Each structure stands twice: as C-alpha cells, then as structure tokens.
Amino acid sequence: MLQKSCMFRLVNSGPELVNTEDETAGLHTRMGQNRSQAASMTPPVSVIVVGAGSRGEIYSYFACIHPQRVKVVGVADPRKFARTKLQQQHKIEEGNVFEDWHDVIEREKFADAVAICTPDRLHKEPAVAFAMKGYHVLLEKPMATTAEDCTAIVEACTQSGVMLTVCHVLRYDPVIHKIKELIDAGVIGEVVHIQHLEPVGFYHFAHSFVRGNWRNEAESSFALLAKSCHDIDLIHHWAGARRCVKVSSFGSVSHFRKESKPPGAASRCLDCPVEGACPYSARKIYLDRVKWGHTGWPVSVICPNSVPDIESVTEALKTGPYGRCVYECDNDVCTNQVVNMEFEGGVTAAFSMVAFTEELCKRKTTISGSKGELSYNGHEVRVFDFLTQRSTTHNSHGNNPSFGMGGHGGADYHLMDAFVSAVANNDPSLIRSGPEETLMSHMLVFEAERSRLEGRVVYCEEERETRQDGLKITAKD
C-alpha cells in the first residue's frame, strides 16, 4: 500500500508505563523514493475539481506537492474568484475552466477522476453524473443529505464500476488508524464499549454552525450529519462494521438564541458597545487574527471573492453573514448532542458532540475490551493491559509529514495519497472509506437523527425494511 503508515517500537520502562518511539523517518524517505520511481513510469492521475472552495483547494494542493503523481486538469465553480484562483494554481487550460459542472459532463471524458467539493445539498447530482460518465469519484463528506441520495450515489458508482472515496479523512489519520490496527490485533480482546467525544470548539461552532454555511438545516444539513458523520463512521468502523441494532439520541440548540442576547448588544459586532465582553465577537474571531497576520481559516472563508486583509475583512463583517451577532442568526442546528448505540453482539457505544469547548475537534476516545482498555486523547493512543497491568503508548511524535496539508492532523494528505494511489493502480483496497461501509455509517447517522426528532428508540432493522419498501414502491410508481 502506498499510504504512509507509522511503525511503533515498544520499550519497557518500569512496572507501569511502556512508551513507544517513532521509527518512521527512514521509512517515509524510502516510500517517497519508491513512489517517485513508480510515478515516473506512469502518467499522473488527472483530476477535475468540482467546487473550488476551501476543501476543493486543500485536496487539489496534493498535485502541487506531487506533480508527478497527479495533475488537476479542470475546475468547475460558479464563483469567478475561486475557479480563477484554482486555475492559476494548477495552470489549467482556459477551455477546461467552467462555471457549471453540467458543461463538463457534456464533454468527452478528459480525466481519470473528479473531486466533488460542492455544498452538501449539491453532492448527489454531480456524483451520480460523473460516476455514470466513468470518472472515479472523491466525494466530500457527507455523501449527501438524504438516505435516498446516498444510496443513489453508491448504486451509480457500483453500476459504473468506478471507485468511490468519501472524505472521512479521520480514517486516514495515522494515529487514529492505529486504533483500528490495535483492535484488529486483539490487544484489548473483544470490543465491549466505545465512548467517543467530539469537542467542536467555541469559536469554530460560532463560525461554521451559527454564522456560517452549516448553520441552518434547510440550507445545509443537521449538525450530526454535517459535523459528526466523521465520528459515527469511526465508531461503526471500530465496532467491526457490525450492524447497529438500535439507537437513541438527544440534542438541542443551546445558548445561541435570541433570549441569550446580552442587554445593549447590537445586531452586528462592529457596531456593538458590549462586544468586548463577548467571546463570540466577530472582531475577535476574524479582524484581530488579520491584524496578527493570520489569513487562513477561518478568516479566508469570509472573503470568498478577494484576498483577506484589513479592508476586505472589515467590509465582510459590516455587510456579510459573519459579522452578525451570534444571538440574532437563523441557526437551528444542535449545539450539543448525544447518541447511544447498540451493535450486533451486544457492543455498545456512546457519542457526545458539544460546541462549548476550548479544544477544536481534538477527539477523545475510550474503548473498553475484554482484555484491556484503549484510550485516545487527541494526540496519542494508550493501551492498558488487564493481565500485566501495564500501559503502552503509541504516537507519531509529529514525524508524519503532510507537506503543507496539515488539516485534520495531516489526514487530508493521507486521504489524497490513498485515493491517487488507488486510481493509479486500479486498486480499491487502498481506500479506507469506500462505498458500502460508508453508506452503512451514514444510514446510522440518519437513524440517530430520527431518534432525536421523534423522541424514541429507533430499531434500525425496522427502519431499513421500511426504507427498502419505500424505495420499491417508488420504483414501481
């Protein structure tokens, strides 16, 4: 497999703690040399980017790092600034730059693969169309915003014989992937219970889910799908891809409501006399960062048609959605949610997502097994063995290069590494987030949200049968 991976050496260090040392530097060097040699013998994988926003730009940057392995040959985006920026970065021919992806479909197939990074509600149509045209598909998560659309995407890719990689990037994080390797190696025995926390981060949630693109379910999707399908996917993955038997969920919109607005607060942060006492002040989150020289995420998001600087950011906060008071937005997605699951064989799992945290997306996990306990603190994996009563620690010591693609702990890089290798070698086994298992974890997300909305335990097999019957009736009609 061309994917980078970590090797770990166990070292005894006393009766209670065993540490590991990273031994990957030489391996990375050798793998890079082998990859370059292999790439020099075959043409680079050609990719079209549909949706040139933040995620499209990040994934396509892999071509700047490894031009011998992949080349971006086309871009489609209705926003001139975004598509022109990507065109210039990758020297894309003028004839392969499109405002509308439908125009790409009308052309003869001119690339190996497509990266679909459109808004959530606009995933299904291009994914199906490009799959039917014979393109391998890299699809930003979530797959789609309905169970029916997710199923249609998988069916289209299966029927067309193309590979589908859904961007559940956390599966490609080397340390998180180590969790799965340890489970499969039996170091904690049989998995009994999984407890998993996603701390979103107070200003991250305000940016993306109160003021931003994922604030309103009618315009995007519910929070569990938009933000936490990563996490439900990991739980499903760690549980051994067992079917979930039943699920319950609770959650609500807390704090970011009109009744929580401080006395005297204005409708916009730049006009607000009390914003200095507000941790969610847009001035603090965006404008102060620009003054410190930070123009990446989240600042880059609020100026989609220009380079972020003091003037453009100030104007965006005066007139755009990111300058609004967080207590006067049209947000309706959960700030906190819990999901309880029971899988086949009696394995149970509990997931919590909460907006109000110091750390941003540093997941924390505890997996209880019959022979030991595995814990992950966002940085390293620790295994406690019940028999020896000793602990073993696994980490990457930051020596896992992502070459400028550091998002999600470098997992963005490893995702693209796997996808490009899979296409180049016609080997879908290199993809960790393929169609069938990803579809199963998405269905679990939909069933969990159904439980929250209907205030009941959802018995998943009954939901699957109902859904299948509904699809059959629709097909007959």
Side-chain angles (χ1 to χ4, degrees), residues 139-444:
L139 179 62
E140 176 60 356
K141 63 84 188 169
M143 294 174 70
T145 56
T146 69
E148 293 74 20
D149 285 355
C150 290
T151 301
I153 291 169
V154 170
E155 289 178 347
C157 291
T158 302
Q159 291 171 8
S160 301
V162 301
M163 285 180 273
L164 171 64
T165 300
V166 179
C167 296
H168 279 312
V169 295
L170 295 182
R171 285 206 188 194
Y172 299 85
D173 180 300
V175 183
I176 291 179
H177 182 57
K178 188 66 182 176
I179 294 174
K180 179 61 173 172
E181 291 181 337
L182 291 167
I183 291 171
D184 290 347
V187 298
I188 61 170
E190 297 179 8
V191 173
V192 176
H193 179 72
I194 300 168
Q195 189 156 357
H196 184 66
L197 167 69
E198 182 184 14
V200 181
F202 73 100
Y203 76 83
H204 180 4
F205 196 92
H207 166 74
S208 296
F209 299 94
V210 179
R211 295 179 171 118
N213 294 334
W214 295 274
R215 71 193 182 280
N216 187 281
E217 184 176 344
E219 294 186 17
S220 57
S221 59
F222 53 95
L224 191 67
L225 182 66
K227 187 72 182 76
S228 302
C229 66
H230 274 315
D231 304 278
I232 301 299
D233 179 71
L234 284 178
I235 290 171
H236 183 259
H237 189 50
W238 293 330
R242 295 177 173 89
R243 285 188 178 274
C244 185
V245 177
K246 52 189 173 184
V247 59
S248 65
S249 182
F250 312 92
S252 62
V253 181
S254 301
H255 188 65
F256 296 117
R257 300 181 301 220
K258 289 180 172 58
E259 55 266 34
S260 300
K261 184 176 179 179
S267 296
R268 286 192 169 271
C269 294
L270 295 190
D271 303 324
C272 185
V274 298
E275 67 82 22
C278 179
Y280 307 103
S281 162
R283 185 186 297 274
K284 294 184 179 71
I285 294 175
Y286 307 109
L287 200 54
D288 285 355
R289 276 183 166 78
V290 177
K291 292 177 181 177
W292 299 333
H294 301 304
T295 57
W297 185 93
V299 176
S300 58
V301 175
I302 75 171
C303 299
N305 298 316
S306 63
V307 177
D309 54 26
I310 294 293
E311 290 74 21
S312 62
V313 170
T314 300
E315 182 61 25
L317 297 185
K318 284 181 179 180
T319 61
Y322 293 95
R324 294 180 296 172
C325 173
V326 291
Y327 306 105
E328 285 196 5
C329 293
D330 58 339
N331 58 297
D332 63 4
V333 299
C334 289
T335 54
N336 50 292
Q337 188 165 355
V338 295
V339 181
N340 297 310
M341 293 154 276
E342 182 180 339
F343 294 90
E344 292 173 328
V347 176
T348 55
F351 167 66
S352 297
M353 178 277 289
V354 62
F356 307 101
T357 63
E358 174 186 359
E359 291 190 312
L360 268 67
C361 304
K362 289 290 185 183
R363 273 86 171 175
K364 294 177 174 59
T365 306
T366 301
I367 303 178
S368 302
S370 58
K371 295 182 179 180
E373 181 183 70
L374 182 152
S375 58
Y376 171 65
N377 63 5
H379 304 283
E380 62 185 16
V381 179
R382 177 180 175 272
V383 175
F384 180 78
D385 186 287
F386 295 160
L387 179 64
T388 64
Q389 297 189 35
R390 290 186 177 184
S391 295
T392 305
T393 303
H394 306 264
N395 60 50
S396 63
H397 289 286
N399 193 11
N400 199 5
S402 55
F403 303 104
M405 292 178 67
H408 298 98
D412 290 345
Y413 174 87
H414 295 290
L415 165 73
M416 286 303 299
D417 190 25
F419 177 69
V420 170
S421 296
V423 174
N425 295 285
N426 193 28
D427 185 359
S429 71
L430 301 179
I431 298 169
R432 297 177 185 167
S433 51
E436 295 301 331
E437 190 180 348
T438 304
L439 180 60
M440 288 178 67
S441 70
H442 270 64
M443 292 306 168
L444 180 51

Side-chain angles (χ1 to χ4, degrees), residues 112-140:
D112 300 308
V114 61
I116 298 175
C117 304
T118 54
D120 296 353
R121 288 188 172 272
L122 303 179
H123 282 184
K124 183 248 187 173
E125 189 182 359
V128 169
F130 278 97
M132 298 303 288
K133 194 80 173 182
Y135 290 90
H136 298 294
V137 178
L138 179 81
L139 179 62
E140 176 60 356

Side-chain angles (χ1 to χ4, degrees), residues 94-116:
E94 189 64 37
N96 290 346
V97 179
F98 307 87
E99 292 185 37
D100 190 331
W101 64 264
H102 290 88
D103 296 331
V104 184
I105 292 296
E106 292 178 1
R107 289 262 305 270
E108 288 295 320
K109 182 173 178 285
F110 64 94
D112 300 308
V114 61
I116 298 175

Side-chain angles (χ1 to χ4, degrees), residues 9-26:
R9 179 165 61 89
L10 306 185
V11 182
N12 289 331
S13 88
E16 295 298 329
L17 182 65
V18 181
N19 289 320
T20 62
E21 296 181 355
D22 178 51
E23 298 180 348
T24 62

